[in-house]
C-alpha cells in the first residue's frame, strides 16, 4: 500500500528533526507574510469561539476526579476549566487590542490594522491618514484594499508558498540547504508565470465551489499543484493542475484521512494560541505532505503516468540523507546572474585616521538630519543635541562601532542588519540613561511610540538606524574610505586633529553648560503621562 499514514508521519518527524530550526523559520515567514497556516493565524490573532473538546481529553479529565464525585460535578468542573482557559486567552487578546501607541508612523499602521482586523485595508487607511489627512473616500480605500489583497495573494503569498515547498523538497535529503531557497521562484524569475498558474487554479476552485460537493473533492485533486510548481516552475498552470489530478487519482480519500488524523494537533494548536503550530505542528504537517508528494511522484514516474515527464528534477530522487546543500548548479533552470551596477569592496579594514574622519562625517550628517526634521515639522531652526557644535556624536559613534564590531559578520547581510539594530539600541539606550542620570533631562523621548522601552528607544527608530547602518557598512563608508584614501596622510591627520580639538572643547564646555531649551529638552512639558505606554 503506497499510502501508509504511520510511515509517512514517522518519516516526517525524522525529517523535521534534521531540519527543525530552518523549517520553523520558513513556516513562520509564510505565516506572517504569505498568510499561510490559517489555523495558527486565527489562533494568534482572533478570539475564536471554544472548540469542540475531543472525547479522550474529556475522559482523561474525568478520570482524575475522585470516584465519589458526582457526574454533574465532574462536568461542571471540566467546563469551568475549559472556560478558564478561554477567559485567559480572551483577556490577553483584549489587552493586546487595547494597546494604542500615540506617536510615530508605526503607531498609525498598528492602530489602523488592529482596529480593522485586516493588514491591507488597515495599511491603506494609515497611508490615507498620513498622506491625505483622511480626505480620501472610503470607497477608494475598500476597492484598493481588495485589488492589492488579490495581487498580493497571487504574486507574493502563493509564490512564497511555492518557495516554502521548495525548501522542504530539497531539505528532506540535503540538510545543508539554506532557508534562503524560499526565494527560489523570485531568483529564477518565474513570478509572472507562477502567478498566472495560480490565477487559473483559483478560477477552477471558484467554479467548483458553486457545486458544493465538487469543491471538497477538487481540493484534493489540486492538492499537489504547489509542489509540482515548486519542482518545475517552468510549466503552465494547466499542466500542473492536470498532473495533480492524475497523481491524486485514487488517493483523495487517503489524503483526507491523513488530514483528519491531525485533528488533535489542530485543537492543541488552538488552545496554545497558535504556539504549537509555530514551533512544531506547521512544519511537521508540511513534512508529512512533502512525503506524500514524493511517494505519489515516485508512483507517477514508475507507472509513466501522463505528464510525469514534467517531474524532471532528478536531484530530488536520492534516498540517502546528506549534510550538503542541494546542488543548485545541477538544476535545469539556471539562476540568472544579477547585474552589478556598482562594484564596492565593503570588506575594508579602516585605518584609525579614516575612522576619525568617518566619525565626524556621520556626526555632522546626524546633526543635519535632526535639525532638518525639526525645521520641516515646526518651521523653526533648533540646534539639536547636548553639544553646541554641528555634530551629534551618537551618530558618529554608532557608525564607527558597527564598522569595527560587525566586521566579522559582513558576509552575512541579514545578520549584520539585526546586529546593527542591537548595537544602535544599546548605544541609544545607554546614552539616554547616562544623560538622564547626570543632567536629569531628556534630549529625546519615544514615549507613545510603538514598542518603546522607557521612552529611550523604540522599534521605529531602531529600524531606521538599522537601515542606515546597513547602508553605511555596505555603501557609504566604503565610498568615504575611497575618498579619504586620496588625502595626503599628513593632511588627513591635520584635519582630524583640528576636529578632535574643537570637539573636546565643545565637550568640556557642554559638561558644565549643556545645550538645552525649547525643541531640545522640553519633552517633559508636553508628555501626557496617561499616554506613556512604554514597555518595561
Amino acid at each position: 500500500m503506497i499510502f501508509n499514514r504511520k510511515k509517512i508521519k514517522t518519516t516526517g518527524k525524522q525529517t523535521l528533526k534534521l531540519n527543525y530550526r530552518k523549517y520553523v523559520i520558513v513556516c513562520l515567514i509564510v505565516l506572517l507574510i504569505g498568510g499561510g497556516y490559517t489555523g495558527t493565524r486565527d489562533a494568534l490573532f482572533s478570539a475564536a469561539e471554544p472548540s469542540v473538546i475531543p472525547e479522550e481529553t474529556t475522559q482523561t479529565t474525568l478520570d482524575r476526579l475522585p470516584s465519589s464525585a458526582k457526574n454533574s460535578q465532574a462536568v461542571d468542573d471540566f467546563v469551568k476549566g475549559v472556560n478558564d482557559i478561554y477567559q485567559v486567552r480572551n483577556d490577553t487578546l483584549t489587552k493586546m487590542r487595547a494597546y494604542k501607541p500615540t506617536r510615530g508612523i508605526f503607531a498609525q499602521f498598528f492602530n489602523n490594522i488592529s482596529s480593522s482586523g485586516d493588514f491591507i485595508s488597515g495599511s491603506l487607511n494609515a497611508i490615507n491618514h498620513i498622506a491625505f489627512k483622511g480626505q480620501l473616500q472610503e470607497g477608494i480605500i475598500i476597492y484598493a484594499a481588495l485589488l492589492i489583497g488579490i495581487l498580493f495573494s497571487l504574486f507574493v503569498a502563493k509564490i512564497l508558498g511555492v518557495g516554502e515547498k521548495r525548501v522542504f523538497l530539497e531539505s528532506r535529503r540535503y540538510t545543508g540547504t539554506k532557508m534562503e531557497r524560499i526565494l527560489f521562484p523570485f531568483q529564477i524569475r518565474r513570478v509572472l508565470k507562477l502567478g498566472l498558474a495560480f490565477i487559473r487554479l483559483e478560477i477552477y476552485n471558484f467554479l467548483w465551489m458553486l457545486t458544493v460537493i465538487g469543491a471538497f473533492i477538487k481540493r484534493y485533486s489540486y492538492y499537489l499543484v504547489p509542489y509540482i510548481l515548486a519542482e518545475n516552475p517552468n510549466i503552465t498552470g494547466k499542466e500542473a493542475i492536470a498532473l495533480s489530478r492524475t497523481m491524486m487519482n485514487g488517493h483523495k480519500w487517503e489524503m483526507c484521512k491523513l488530514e483528519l488524523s491531525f485533528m488533535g494537533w489542530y485543537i492543541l494548536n488552538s488552545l496554545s494560541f497558535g504556539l504549537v503550530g509555530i514551533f512544531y505542528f506547521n512544519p511537521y504537517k508540511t513534512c508529512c505532505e512533502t512525503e506524500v508528494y514524493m511517494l505519489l511522484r515516485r508512483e507517477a514516474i514508475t507507472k509513466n503516468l501522463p505528464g510525469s515527464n514534467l517531474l524532471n528534477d532528478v536531484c530530488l530522487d536520492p534516498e540517502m540523507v546528506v549534510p550538503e546543500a542541494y546542488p543548485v548548479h545541477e538544476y535545469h533552470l539556471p539562476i540568472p546572474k544579477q547585474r552589478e551596477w556598482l562594484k564596492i569592496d565593503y570588506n575594508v579594514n579602516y585605518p584609525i585616521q579614516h575612522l576619525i574622519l568617518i566619525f565626524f562625517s556621520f556626526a555632522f550628517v546626524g546633526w543635519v538630519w535632526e535639525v532638518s526634521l525639526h525645521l520641516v515639522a515646526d518651521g523653526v531652526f533648533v540646534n539639536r543635541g547636548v553639544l553646541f557644535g554641528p555634530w551629534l556624536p551618537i551618530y558618529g559613534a554608532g557608525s564607527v562601532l558597527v564598522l569595527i564590531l560587525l566586521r566579522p559578520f559582513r558576509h552575512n547581510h541579514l545578520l549584520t542588519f539585526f546586529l546593527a539594530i542591537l548595537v544602535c539600541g544599546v548605544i541609544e539606550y545607554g546614552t539616554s540613561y547616562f544623560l538622564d542620570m547626570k543632567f536629569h533631562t531628556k534630549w529625546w523621548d519615544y514615549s507613545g511610540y510603538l514598542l518603546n522601552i522607557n521612552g529611550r528607544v523604540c522599534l521605529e527608530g531602531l529600524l531606521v538606524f538599522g537601515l542606515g547602518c546597513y547602508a553605511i557598512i555596505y555603501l557609504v563608508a566604503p565610498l568615504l574610505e575611497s575618498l579619504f584614501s586620496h588625502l595626503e596622510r599628513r593632511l588627513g591627520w591635520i584635519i582630524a586633529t583640528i576636529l578632535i580639538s574643537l570637539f573636546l572643547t565643545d565637550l568640556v564646555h557642554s559638561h558644565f553648560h549643556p545645550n538645552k531649551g525649547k525643541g531640545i529638552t522640553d519633552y517633559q512639558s508636553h508628555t501626557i503621562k496617561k499616554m506613556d505606554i512604554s514597555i518595561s
Side-chain angles (χ1 to χ4, degrees), residues 317-463:
D317 294 328
E319 289 300 318
M320 185 175 295
V321 177
V322 295
E324 290 84 12
Y326 173 88
V328 179
H329 60 279
E330 296 184 21
Y331 188 63
H332 66 283
L333 292 176
I335 297 178
K337 291 184 177 180
Q338 301 294 324
R339 295 181 180 179
E340 294 185 358
W341 296 99
L342 185 62
K343 293 183 178 180
I344 296 177
D345 180 17
Y346 54 79
N347 193 25
V348 182
N349 186 15
Y350 297 92
I352 295 178
Q353 180 193 88
H354 294 175
L355 286 174
I356 295 173
L357 296 178
I358 287 173
F359 169 86
F360 284 104
S361 297
F362 288 113
F364 174 71
V365 169
W367 179 82
V368 172
W369 167 256
E370 295 272 359
V371 169
S372 300
L373 286 178
H374 204 284
L375 188 62
V376 171
D378 301 325
V380 178
F381 173 84
V382 176
N383 183 21
R384 298 283 296 158
V386 183
L387 308 181
F388 289 87
W391 41 49
L392 292 178
I394 191 172
Y395 284 86
S399 303
V400 170
L401 281 177
V402 294
L403 290 175
I404 297 174
L405 298 178
L406 304 187
R407 187 187 177 195
F409 310 102
R410 289 179 196 170
H411 63 282
N412 190 326
H413 291 237
L414 187 62
L415 179 60
T416 298
F417 172 71
F418 286 109
L419 288 177
I421 289 178
L422 177 62
V423 171
C424 291
V426 171
I427 294 173
E428 188 174 30
Y429 192 96
T431 303
S432 174
Y433 183 83
F434 170 77
L435 294 175
D436 199 359
M437 293 300 102
K438 182 173 179 57
F439 299 108
H440 306 289
T441 306
K442 289 187 176 182
W443 270 263
W444 63 86
D445 188 356
Y446 295 116
S447 297
Y449 280 80
L450 178 66
L451 296 180
N452 71 85
I453 304 178
N454 299 327
R456 304 188 191 281
V457 295
C458 71
L459 176 64
E460 189 170 321
L462 290 179
L463 286 177

Side-chain angles (χ1 to χ4, degrees), residues 27 43 62 156 164 207 275 282 302 330 343 378 388 397 440 447 453 468 475 481 492 506 511 528:
C27 290
L62 295 176
V156 177
E164 176 204 30
L207 293 176
L275 295 179
N282 293 340
T302 302
E330 296 184 21
K343 293 183 178 180
D378 301 325
F388 289 87
H440 306 289
S447 297
I453 304 178
L475 179 62
E481 168 64 20
D506 193 353
H511 176 76
I528 303 175

Side-chain angles (χ1 to χ4, degrees), residues 11 80 127 152 161-162 313 330 413 479:
T11 307
K80 182 178 182 299
I127 294 172
F152 182 85
V162 171
D313 189 351
E330 296 184 21
H413 291 237
L479 292 177

Side-chain angles (χ1 to χ4, degrees), residues 170-186:
E170 293 182 3
S171 299
R172 64 184 293 274
R173 290 295 175 260
Y174 303 93
T175 57
T177 298
K178 296 182 179 179
M179 67 182 70
E180 286 83 354
R181 291 289 284 170
I182 193 175
L183 300 176
F184 161 77
F186 303 94

Side-chain angles (χ1 to χ4, degrees), residues 10 118 127 131 157 317 395 440 449 465 486-487 492 495 533:
T10 300
D118 179 72
I127 294 172
D317 294 328
Y395 284 86
H440 306 289
Y449 280 80
F465 288 144
H486 290 89
L487 281 176
I495 296 173
I533 49 177

Side-chain angles (χ1 to χ4, degrees), residues 386-388 439 506-516:
V386 183
L387 308 181
F388 289 87
F439 299 108
D506 193 353
L507 195 64
V508 172
H509 176 74
S510 300
H511 176 76
F512 299 100
H513 307 284
N515 182 28
K516 297 182 178 181

